[in-house]
Amino acid sequence: MLAEKKIYDLSYLESLSGGDQEFTLDMLREFIHNTPDSVQKIKNCTQEQNWKQLSFEVHKFIPTLAFVGFTNLNEELDQIYRKASSDSNTEAIPDLIQTVEKRCKNLLDCLQADFIL
């Protein structure tokens, strides 16, 4: 039977930790704690149509997801960033934000289940 493929990859985080499990768990706890706030900031900027701030928030958020090896939103976040930065085709952003919110919730649920955090 094949092992279930994870939607995240902690190899980068584990390399930073040098094998320190407690450090890895602390970082995961921080990620789980901070991600809902980051997503909410992104949603707020979208609702306010503050495209400059939205591009800033998305730009900050992308490396956070890379930290836990979650690449399932790269295309959506890149599109949001480009549309917000150029203030063009912004009507597509709310649907992209919904995708981001849903996939982030799924990621957090998986991390919490896998690590009982």
Side-chain angles (χ1 to χ4, degrees):
M1 185 165 154
L2 293 174
E4 182 180 333
K5 183 171 174 20
K6 302 286 185 195
I7 63 172
Y8 57 86
D9 176 1
L10 299 182
S11 58
Y12 177 69
L13 178 58
E14 289 167 347
S15 72
L16 287 177
S17 75
D20 183 343
Q21 288 267 322
E22 195 55 39
F23 175 82
T24 299
L25 292 175
D26 286 344
M27 292 294 98
L28 288 173
R29 284 185 199 101
E30 283 295 313
F31 177 82
I32 289 168
H33 176 75
N34 293 328
T35 296
D37 290 339
S38 297
V39 171
Q40 188 60 51
K41 286 178 185 177
I42 289 169
K43 286 175 58 178
N44 291 345
C45 291
T46 302
Q47 291 167 348
E48 297 163 4
Q49 297 184 357
N50 186 343
W51 307 127
K52 182 177 180 178
Q53 187 64 32
L54 175 61
S55 64
F56 175 75
E57 295 297 337
V58 168
H59 183 72
K60 284 191 331 185
F61 190 51
I62 290 170
T64 304
L65 294 174
F67 195 63
V68 294
F70 187 66
T71 59
N72 199 10
L73 283 173
N74 288 355
E75 179 62 32
E76 288 81 359
L77 290 170
D78 183 57
Q79 285 183 45
I80 293 166
Y81 179 78
R82 284 186 285 114
K83 291 173 189 315
S85 295
S86 65
D87 195 4
S88 65
N89 197 18
T90 56
E91 66 276 359
I93 292 176
D95 288 341
L96 292 166
I97 298 297
Q98 283 185 329
T99 300
V100 168
E101 184 175 29
K102 186 169 75 171
R103 289 187 189 162
C104 282
K105 182 184 179 333
N106 186 37
L107 171 62
L108 295 177
D109 290 346
C110 288
L111 287 170
Q112 287 174 320
D114 290 351
F115 292 94
I116 310 171
L117 298 171

